[in-house]
Amino acid sequence: DGGITQSPKYLFRKEGQNVTLSCEQNLNHDAMYWYRQDPGQGLRLIYYSQIVNDFQKGDIAEGYSVSREKKESFPLTVTSAQKNPTAFYLCASSISRGVNEQYFGPGTRLTVT
Amino acid sequence: SQQGEEDPQALSIQEGENATMNCSYKTSINNLQWYRQNSGRGLVHLILIRSNEREKHSGRLRVTLDTSKKSSSLLITASRAADTASYFCATVDAGGTSYGKLTFGQGTILTVHP
């Protein structure tokens, strides 16, 4: 059963703590993405990776970090430097960065209090 | 900044009616895509239309693209209650340093009443 998995579905953290969101895909896709979605808003790109061991900042990378050590995995760390981390986080992948459609995971809702 | 902007922000119709959503964008594009999101879930790709195409169909979906007006529309025919969701357009820029970047609009919330 191919697809993208994100865990956990809901995550609660205290302010000042770093938290890592998991994203795994078994679609053999080269490119992976992290988006943030706020209520009533579209998606904003945080980071993307075109290939293993390479990643680039998106539009709102401040306060976030990523790694891409394996093709299947693209974890996102929300650091304490992110001023407003409470949001819905979506991971996606595509065959390659570019013109192809993106496949999305189910999302992780992060609440920081 | 938002590239695609959807109109209307919300649409409420009865089952069986057609639903039309519009998307406007600002820059030259390689293609435009439409996605669907059920409440609290991930997005699902619906259809992709390239900049050299004017119309595309997929089942009950019809997408048009007018590059001269920098606009697109998504028509869902014979809507069903299960079509209730948010619909997003997303554009892929043509050329430049942002080549391949997918930029999403704010979405249209569609409610189909049984």
Side-chain angles (χ1 to χ4, degrees):
Chain A
D1 189 19
I4 300 179
T5 57
Q6 292 185 243
S7 61
K9 187 171 177 64
Y10 298 96
L11 193 53
F12 299 89
R13 281 294 183 269
K14 295 288 187 184
E15 197 172 317
Q17 294 179 334
N18 291 356
V19 59
T20 298
L21 282 60
S22 168
C23 176
E24 304 277 332
Q25 55 100 358
N26 61 5
L27 300 168
N28 201 33
H29 285 173
D30 284 324
M32 296 187 75
Y33 313 82
W34 274 106
Y35 294 92
R36 170 186 173 133
Q37 185 178 32
D38 293 285
Q41 302 286 320
L43 279 65
R44 291 184 290 169
L45 183 64
I46 304 172
Y47 267 98
Y48 65 92
S49 169
Q50 299 183 63
I51 200 167
V52 175
N53 292 323
D54 176 75
F55 49 83
Q56 306 293 330
K57 292 181 179 179
D59 298 321
I60 56 166
E62 185 174 350
Y64 300 97
S65 66
V66 294
S67 63
R68 186 88 187 274
E69 297 175 1
K70 298 187 298 182
K71 188 175 186 177
E72 303 79 21
S73 179
F74 190 42
L76 174 74
T77 297
V78 184
T79 74
S80 56
Q82 168 51 232
K83 293 175 182 166
N84 187 18
T86 294
F88 189 49
Y89 291 88
L90 288 157
C91 179
S93 70
S94 65
I95 294 172
S96 64
R97 183 172 188 265
V99 301
N100 297 298
E101 65 191 72
Q102 293 186 12
Y103 295 78
F104 283 81
T108 292
R109 189 167 299 280
L110 173 65
T111 302
V112 177
T113 57
Chain B
S1 62
Q2 293 289 347
Q3 162 74 315
E5 296 190 1
E6 283 94 338
D7 170 59
Q9 291 187 349
L11 182 59
S12 181
I13 60 174
Q14 295 296 126
E15 211 165 28
E17 294 180 341
N18 295 342
T20 299
M21 288 159 268
N22 302 297
C23 171
S24 61
Y25 58 91
K26 298 174 183 175
T27 63
S28 296
I29 62 171
N30 179 287
N31 68 72
L32 184 145
Q33 302 175 32
W34 285 90
Y35 288 80
R36 165 193 168 127
Q37 183 182 33
N38 287 81
S39 181
R41 309 290 293 272
L43 277 70
V44 174
H45 182 267
L46 295 176
I47 198 165
L48 181 154
I49 186 164
R50 292 182 169 77
S51 60
N52 61 352
E53 297 175 313
R54 292 297 166 259
E55 187 171 314
K56 207 161 182 180
H57 297 256
S58 177
R60 293 184 296 114
L61 305 180
R62 172 178 170 254
V63 170
T64 62
L65 179 65
D66 187 336
T67 53
S68 66
K69 294 181 180 178
K70 291 187 167 56
S71 67
S72 173
S73 67
L74 170 67
L75 169 67
I76 303 174
T77 60
S79 63
R80 306 165 182 167
D83 293 329
T84 294
S86 293
Y87 292 82
F88 294 90
C89 72
T91 53
V92 176
D93 290 349
T97 57
S98 60
Y99 177 75
K101 178 182 174 182
L102 196 60
T103 305
F104 287 84
Q106 293 186 331
T108 292
I109 300 172
L110 173 65
T111 304
V112 182
H113 300 281

